[in-house]
């Protein structure tokens, strides 16, 4: 039983059988180039109660007979010291670590023996990925996965030429399709809900198996994405997090990507808040510790005016010192919504 977060409800326990866990390990092992090989030394900084650390990392290490170096917590400099001292060659992490490492002057020295970095559990901004690779020479591969899929569904390692911004192709043995609001395949390039099937899928949620894959094995992920002309998956957003402004759909990840292009902005999280005029409005929480708040707000507004339609632009920008995140590095947008509810009730300035 592994608990999985929800954008709209309390976490639920996904029932993962040995069959599902082993199936995903074999699916990942069939990808070339391999994420983990027998001679690799793999960093084990991800929590083992999370499916990423448990199965994608530990499971793959055991299957390949590689070496896992366990670290009990992430410390930007301390973890880099471990990587260098233990000869780590594969570094699986969450996106939240990159802003910390990009502030380290001798990052390339610490990463000299690393052949690959894998990022998962949440989206990683393209600009951050490119800066990391430019400074270290180490490629960063992304993947898409869910606890219910044990967890890996796609990987850029499975793509001969992964396109910028994509999460790669489906692993061997994993079925992937898109479905529109009418249950049909959307037109080429149009977004749809991602559905998956395969032996790696869970058996439903504890205790009664609710939410299990359908009779034909397909399971609706709740994520919205599209396939590019090479079949690479590009995620748009969570279906539950789409903000409807005056009848138009706004995908928070699109707005976050634009804000992430502003120099010195390290993180951004976009949510929808109730609005009397438009139904909902867009609010952005931004972390840029090296800039004054007024400078950040001005730069973000300017970039959004250049790149986004008016209904997609944030009506308010909150500059924060930290964004609340899970141990897996995913922003807790529920906490941000709670802040907004308190603000609407007059409990916050």
């Amino acid at each position: 039983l592994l608990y999985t977060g929800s954008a709209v409800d309390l976490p639920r326990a996904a029932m993962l059988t040995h069959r599902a866990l082993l199936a995903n390990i074999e699916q990942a092992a069939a990808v070339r180039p391999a994420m983990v090989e027998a001679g690799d030394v793999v960093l084990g900084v991800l929590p083992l109660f999370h499916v990423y650390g448990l199965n994608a990392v530990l499971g793959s290490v055991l299957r390949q007979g590689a070496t896992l170096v366990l670290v009990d917590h992430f410390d930007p400099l301390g973890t880099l010291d471990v990587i260098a001292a233990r000869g780590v060659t594969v570094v699986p992490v969450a996106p939240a670590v990159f802003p910390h490492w990009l502030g380290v002057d001798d990052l390339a020295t610490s990463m000299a023996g690393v052949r690959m970095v894998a990022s998962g559990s949440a989206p990683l901004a393209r600009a951050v990925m490119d800066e990391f690779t430019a400074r270290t020479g180490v490629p960063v591969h992304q993947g898409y996965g869910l606890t219910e899929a044990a967890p890996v569904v796609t990987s850029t390692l499975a793509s001969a030429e992964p396109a910028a911004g994509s999460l790669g192709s489906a692993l061997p043995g994993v079925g992937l399709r898109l479905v529109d609001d009418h249950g049909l395949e959307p037109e080429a390039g149009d977004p749809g809900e991602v559905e998956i099937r395969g032996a790696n899928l869970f058996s439903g949620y504890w205790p009664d198996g609710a939410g299990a894959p359908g009779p034909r094995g397909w399971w609706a992920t709740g994520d919205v994405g599209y396939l590019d002309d090479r079949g690479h998956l590009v995620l748009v957003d969570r279906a539950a997090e789409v903000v409807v402004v005056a009848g138009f759909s706004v995908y928070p990840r699109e707005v976050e990507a634009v804000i992430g292009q502003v120099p010195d902005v390290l993180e951004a999280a976009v949510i929808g808040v109730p609005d009397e005029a438009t139904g909902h409005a867009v609010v952005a929480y931004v972390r840029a510790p090296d800039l004054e708040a007024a400078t950040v707000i001005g730069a973000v507004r300017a970039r959004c005016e250049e790149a986004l339609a008016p209904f997609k632009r944030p009506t308010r920008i909150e500059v924060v010192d930290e964004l609340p995140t899970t141990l897996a590095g995913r922003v807790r947008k529920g906490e941000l919504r709670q802040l907004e509810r308190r603000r609407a009730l007059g409990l916050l300035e």
Side-chain angles (χ1 to χ4, degrees):
L1 300 178
L2 288 179
Y3 279 84
T4 178
S6 170
V8 296
D9 202 352
L10 294 174
R12 294 182 290 180
M15 298 191 292
L16 288 166
T17 61
H18 290 163
R19 177 265 304 162
L21 294 168
L22 291 171
N24 198 236
I25 291 172
E26 291 303 320
Q27 290 160 349
V31 173
R32 293 292 181 273
M35 172 183 157
V36 177
E37 299 174 346
D40 277 321
V41 179
V42 182
L43 180 69
V45 71
L46 293 162
L48 296 179
F49 61 76
H50 190 279
V51 70
Y52 184 8
L54 177 68
N55 212 42
V57 177
L58 176 60
S60 294
V61 166
L62 292 172
R63 196 270 187 198
Q64 302 291 19
T67 299
L68 185 66
V69 177
L70 287 172
V71 180
D72 62 5
H73 70 283
F74 174 75
D75 171 75
L77 295 178
T79 303
L80 287 176
D81 289 342
V82 170
I83 290 171
R86 297 299 184 92
V88 170
T89 57
V90 176
V91 178
V93 290
V97 311
F98 289 91
H100 295 285
W101 278 347
L102 290 176
V104 177
D105 292 334
D106 58 347
L107 179 62
T109 301
S110 299
M111 290 282 172
V114 176
R115 69 173 181 86
M116 184 188 71
V117 172
S119 177
S121 84
L124 175 64
R126 184 71 194 186
V128 173
M129 186 189 313
D130 290 344
E131 182 180 352
F132 180 88
T133 299
R135 288 186 53 188
T136 64
V138 180
V140 179
H141 285 277
Q142 287 204 89
Y144 165 61
L146 308 102
T147 302
E148 295 88 345
V152 188
V153 174
T154 73
S155 173
T156 52
L157 286 165
S159 304
E161 297 180 8
S166 85
L167 296 174
S169 302
L171 269 56
V174 176
L176 185 151
R177 71 180 183 183
L178 302 181
V179 176
D180 65 16
D181 292 339
H182 304 287
L184 304 174
E185 181 181 354
E187 294 186 14
D190 284 349
E193 184 173 7
V194 179
E195 293 192 350
I196 56 177
R197 71 176 176 184
N200 56 309
L201 284 183
F202 76 139
S203 303
Y205 298 106
W206 178 265
D208 56 1
R216 297 186 179 181
W218 289 101
W219 182 71
T221 65
D223 289 317
V224 178
Y226 66 89
L227 298 174
D228 66 14
D229 54 4
R230 297 182 181 179
H232 302 147
L233 177 65
V234 180
L235 277 192
V236 176
D237 222 311
R238 290 286 299 172
E241 294 189 356
V242 174
V243 183
V244 180
V245 179
F248 295 96
S249 294
V250 179
Y251 297 103
R253 285 182 183 170
E254 178 187 4
V255 183
E256 290 163 359
V258 169
I259 296 173
Q261 296 168 2
V262 176
D264 295 316
V265 167
L266 298 184
E267 291 181 285
V270 169
I271 61 172
V273 300
D275 183 87
E276 292 184 0
T278 60
H280 285 87
V282 177
V283 172
Y285 282 76
V286 180
R287 187 169 79 89
D290 295 334
L291 298 177
E292 294 291 333
T295 303
V296 176
I297 292 172
V300 169
R301 288 200 185 283
R303 180 65 191 125
C304 289
E305 288 175 1
E306 292 175 354
L308 296 172
F311 69 91
K312 297 180 180 180
R313 298 170 191 167
T315 59
R316 192 173 79 251
I317 299 163
E318 297 287 338
V319 180
V320 296
D321 294 330
E322 294 290 339
L323 287 170
T325 60
T326 66
L327 288 175
R330 182 175 298 161
V331 175
R332 294 182 182 272
K333 290 191 176 181
E335 290 191 19
L336 300 181
R337 294 189 188 94
Q338 185 177 25
L339 284 175
E340 291 298 326
R341 287 192 290 270
R342 294 177 62 193
R343 182 175 282 110
L345 293 171
L347 301 177
L348 293 177
E349 294 183 359

